[in-house]
Amino acid sequence: MVRFLLTQEVAAHDTAEVWPVYESVFGDYSDCDTWRQAVWDRHSVRDGFRLVRAYEGEALIGFVYGYTGHRGQWWTDNAQKVLGPEVAGTWLGGHFELVSIGVLASARRRAVGRSLMRVLLEDLPHDRWLLMTTADADDPARRLYASEGWHVLGPGIGDDTVIMGRRSAVTAPIE
C-alpha cells in the first residue's frame, strides 16, 4: 500500500530523502549539493510551496512539488516570452506551478504519479495551474497530464517542450 505525505516546509533531512529519487529519475545534476544550490533551496522557500512524497512501507518511491508562480521569477518571465502576451496575460502570475514529479521506475504504471499530482493539487487556492513537459504527445508523463485535464498552452522554454495549463475544478474548463 502506498501512502502520501503532504508538507509545506522542508528541512535538511527532507532534502536528503528526496534527492536519491530525483537523481534516479532525472539525472541532470552531478550531486545533491549542486542540485540543492541550483534549484531546491530557491524553490522550497517560495510562496505556496508544497511537497508530496509517496512511500511504500518506509521507502520513498516518488515525489512531486510546486509553488505559486509570480512575475519576476525565472520560469514565469521566460514562459511569458514564449507564450505571447494574450496567453501569458491570462495564465501567468499568481498561478500554481507544478515544477517536478518523479517516480522510481520500479513504482511506475501503478498510478503513483497520478495520485501524487492529485494530492499536490487538492484544495489549492489557485485557479490556474501550469507545468512544462515534453512536446512528445506519446510520452507517458504527457499522456498522464492530458488524462487529468491539462491542455497545451504553447511552446515551452526549452527545445522539444510545451507549457500545459489546467483550471482548478471550481473554475470553467479551458476551451
Side-chain angles (χ1 to χ4, degrees), residues 7-8 38-51 64-76 93-100 120-121 124-126 128-131:
T7 54
Q8 296 180 338
V39 178
W40 186 251
D41 287 351
R42 280 184 289 118
H43 289 182
S44 64
V45 297
R46 290 204 168 145
D47 292 342
F49 176 83
R50 292 166 64 112
L51 167 68
V64 63
Y65 79 91
Y67 51 77
T68 303
H70 295 291
R71 287 183 171 79
Q73 293 172 343
W74 183 90
W75 191 87
T76 300
H95 60 278
F96 187 79
E97 190 173 314
L98 190 159
V99 177
S100 188
L120 180 75
L121 301 173
L124 280 177
H126 310 76
R128 295 159 290 124
W129 306 338
L130 295 167
L131 61 80

Side-chain angles (χ1 to χ4, degrees), residues 20-37:
V21 176
Y22 180 93
E23 197 276 329
S24 174
V25 172
F26 299 104
D28 55 353
Y29 288 93
S30 61
D31 58 72
C32 184
D33 284 340
T34 303
W35 168 70
R36 188 183 52 73
Q37 291 171 12

Side-chain angles (χ1 to χ4, degrees), residues 109 133-147 152 160-162 164:
R109 305 204 51 81
T133 190
T134 178
D136 179 1
D138 292 325
D139 183 86
R142 173 82 181 271
R143 287 195 323 263
L144 167 64
Y145 303 137
S147 74
V152 173
D160 299 320
T161 63
V162 293
M164 297 183 82

Side-chain angles (χ1 to χ4, degrees), residues 74-138:
W74 183 90
W75 191 87
T76 300
D77 289 350
N78 282 282
Q80 182 170 343
K81 292 175 187 174
V82 297
L83 289 176
E86 185 175 324
V87 174
T90 300
W91 283 89
L92 296 175
H95 60 278
F96 187 79
E97 190 173 314
L98 190 159
V99 177
S100 188
I101 184 169
V103 176
L104 292 175
S106 61
R108 292 183 190 151
R109 305 204 51 81
R110 297 187 315 186
V112 174
R114 182 179 309 277
S115 297
L116 279 164
M117 185 169 48
R118 287 179 176 175
V119 173
L120 180 75
L121 301 173
E122 186 175 23
D123 297 326
L124 280 177
H126 310 76
D127 66 337
R128 295 159 290 124
W129 306 338
L130 295 167
L131 61 80
M132 190 169 70
T133 190
T134 178
D136 179 1
D138 292 325

